[in-house]
Amino acid sequence: MKVTLFAVFIGLQCATLSAKTIELGTSTTVETYFPGISSAVVEAFKMAGHQVNKLLLPGERAIVMFKTSELDAEIMRLATFDEIVSDAIPVNVVLTNLELVAMVRKRSGFETIDDLIGKRMAAERGTRVQMMVAEKMNATLVQQQSIEATFKMMSAERVDFVAVTRDIGQQLIDQGYDVRLIDKPLLTIPFYVWLTKENADLLPDIEKNLNILKAEGRF
């Protein structure tokens, strides 16, 4: 019995020593439109014995903090995030495959994706996937602080289209924006949790825990 209690004590001590407080970056877009994913990612770290400090940050600021290791991880970044931060480490569990579509004013003359090539597009500042659409469409890009701000800009006819997921587009239609979608994807890309190189040791546990939560239907 003494040996068993001693082993338990040592195990608890080791777990305590290995536990971290994770500085976890997130964005207004993630928290507003993907709350299930956000809560599941936090839970994955907690299941591994870590505390989580979730930081709501503008996209560009989060990238700077990730590069300088002021953040330990980002909740949700696109599959090509390592083109921005070369030593970033993806957790190999797809959080979601985002399909972006074009939203336009209801009474605009735009009917197809080809109609939007070379036109004016608004994007949320620091949202790389929207910038990828702008590059693909050869669009004149105007950046705003939020998705809502991009739709307000489009409603004021200062830009021609915004690229968002169908769910986000429908939510904004439900909020009363006088817009419609062009029903053909502009871009489809998976998103992952990303870790800094200093936190590579977290990868097996976070991957395992996310797979458990995904199987449970948490995201």
Side-chain angles (χ1 to χ4, degrees):
M1 178 62 70
K2 289 181 180 178
V3 174
T4 303
L5 289 174
F6 180 74
V8 170
F9 175 76
I10 292 297
L12 289 172
Q13 286 291 100
C14 291
T16 301
L17 290 171
S18 63
K20 299 181 180 181
T21 297
I22 302 299
E23 301 295 327
L24 184 61
T26 188
S27 68
T28 300
T29 298
V30 170
E31 298 304 309
T32 301
Y33 300 106
F34 304 98
I37 289 175
S38 177
S39 64
V41 172
V42 170
E43 184 65 20
F45 282 98
K46 289 183 175 179
M47 287 166 65
H50 307 299
Q51 295 183 17
V52 176
N53 183 24
K54 188 161 65 171
L55 302 174
L56 186 65
L57 299 164
E60 292 178 346
R61 176 59 181 157
I63 290 171
V64 171
M65 291 177 67
F66 194 98
K67 286 180 175 179
T68 58
S69 298
E70 294 173 77
L71 290 179
D72 297 302
E74 280 254 48
I75 285 181
M76 188 172 162
R77 286 281 183 175
L78 72 166
T80 56
F81 187 57
D82 55 353
E83 293 179 5
I84 301 170
V85 184
S86 60
D87 53 10
I89 300 169
V91 179
N92 192 30
V93 180
V94 176
L95 299 175
T96 185
N97 280 296
L98 285 191
E99 182 180 88
L100 271 68
V101 295
M103 303 295 298
V104 298
R105 293 182 303 280
K106 269 188 180 178
R107 286 172 290 279
S108 75
F110 304 121
E111 300 296 336
T112 70
I113 289 176
D114 287 346
D115 292 338
L116 298 173
I117 294 173
K119 298 300 190 293
R120 301 169 300 171
M121 174 185 163
E124 184 179 18
R125 189 176 303 279
T127 303
R128 178 60 185 160
V129 67
Q130 291 181 323
M131 295 178 190
M132 290 169 66
V133 170
E135 292 168 7
K136 178 180 177 181
M137 298 296 290
N138 193 29
T140 300
L141 181 65
V142 181
Q143 297 187 56
Q144 294 291 307
Q145 292 302 318
S146 67
I147 286 178
E148 290 84 355
T150 66
F151 274 73
K152 288 176 181 177
M153 194 172 192
M154 184 167 64
S155 295
E157 301 187 17
R158 295 171 58 197
V159 295
D160 300 305
F161 73 104
V162 176
V164 293
T165 66
R166 294 173 190 274
D167 287 347
I168 292 175
Q170 187 58 54
Q171 288 182 50
L172 290 161
I173 289 171
D174 293 344
Q175 291 175 28
Y177 285 92
D178 194 27
V179 296
R180 58 181 168 83
L181 67 85
I182 294 177
D183 197 18
K184 182 180 179 181
L186 291 164
L187 183 70
T188 302
I189 193 164
F191 277 69
Y192 300 91
V193 176
W194 288 80
L195 305 171
T196 62
K197 62 180 180 180
E198 292 83 1
N199 289 288
D201 60 308
L202 303 181
L203 182 60
D205 282 343
I206 303 308
E207 183 173 320
K208 178 186 71 176
N209 294 341
L210 283 175
N211 276 319
I212 291 169
L213 294 168
K214 189 171 187 177
E216 292 176 354
R218 289 285 299 276
F219 62 92

